[in-house]
Amino acid sequence: MHPVFQKSVQALVTGELIRTRYAVPGDLDAVNAMHARCTVKSVIGRYRAPRFGIRPAEWSRLTDPATGSSWVAEHLGEPGRVIAVAHLAHTGREGVRELGLLVQDDWQYRGLGTALARHAVRHGRRTGCRTVVITTGEQNGAMRSIAHRLGAPAPIRMLGDLEFTVPLPGHDEHPYPGGRVTVP
């Protein structure tokens, strides 16, 4: 089967079964409906600004394999209803990708965000990624926890944001040669 059409089913820590699959351009309406079900806090945690949807041109870029990979998650009991979305986008730096993640509020704290992040990291490793970068607001405790679960060391603090770098096994290079100061 072509990788774009592969799906995986996994159990969350709460026992619910979730289907994760590659996102396609036709998922835009379902993804925007999920955004509309999210609180302002969750949306700001993801985008660091109030935003309740993705524009068609942006979604087209996010689902284009040349610019990265995106996935949607659905509860098996509600096929077609997107409850989370993840992106692993090319950054323009060789071997470095950026992880973005939004989980619908009533699905948070069940392990879904961590499961999607691990799924994205496994995909990144298979496709030549050396480092995953996660940029999030200082107040986004869920994303900070996910970054630590993925093995990120202390983040770099940047104007109210935190940037985590997750080195992937087998790749020792840091994406910022010369080093940068980290905050413990």
Side-chain angles (χ1 to χ4, degrees):
M1 179 184 283
H2 190 279
V4 168
F5 301 108
Q6 288 180 355
K7 299 174 185 176
S8 70
V9 175
Q10 57 206 61
L12 299 181
V13 294
T14 54
E16 290 111 343
L17 295 177
I18 301 300
R19 175 182 298 124
T20 302
R21 63 173 174 78
Y22 276 99
V24 296
D27 290 323
L28 178 60
D29 289 341
V31 168
N32 279 339
M34 185 227 24
H35 276 74
R37 292 187 301 270
C38 290
T39 62
V40 172
K41 180 181 178 185
S42 289
V43 172
I44 288 174
R46 164 61 180 100
Y47 299 108
R48 295 175 310 284
R51 181 176 177 182
F52 292 96
I54 297 177
R55 295 178 305 280
E58 182 181 13
W59 186 246
S60 179
R61 183 178 48 78
L62 288 169
T63 56
D64 180 353
T67 58
S69 301
S70 295
W71 299 268
V72 293
E74 306 165 326
H75 184 270
L76 282 184
E78 298 181 74
R81 181 179 168 114
V82 172
I83 57 174
V85 63
H87 312 287
L88 192 60
H90 294 281
T91 62
R93 295 176 289 185
E94 183 66 32
V96 180
R97 308 243 176 94
E98 183 170 14
L99 177 66
L101 187 60
L102 179 62
V103 177
Q104 186 176 304
D105 291 74
D106 55 339
W107 283 93
Q108 293 176 10
Y109 304 103
R110 299 184 193 195
L112 179 54
T114 299
L116 275 173
R118 286 182 174 148
H119 183 85
V121 166
R122 281 191 304 272
H123 172 80
R125 187 179 300 115
R126 286 191 310 267
T127 59
C129 180
R130 295 186 318 263
T131 303
V132 172
V133 175
I134 300 169
T135 304
T136 191
E138 290 182 86
Q139 303 304 314
N140 191 341
M143 197 61 166
R144 288 193 334 258
S145 293
I146 288 170
H148 290 300
R149 284 185 198 108
L150 294 175
I156 298 167
R157 189 177 306 264
M158 308 177 314
L159 301 172
D161 286 341
L162 300 174
E163 183 175 281
F164 293 90
T165 56
V166 180
L168 301 187
H171 297 287
D172 296 330
E173 298 176 41
H174 191 280
Y176 304 108
R180 287 170 70 179
V181 177
T182 59
V183 177

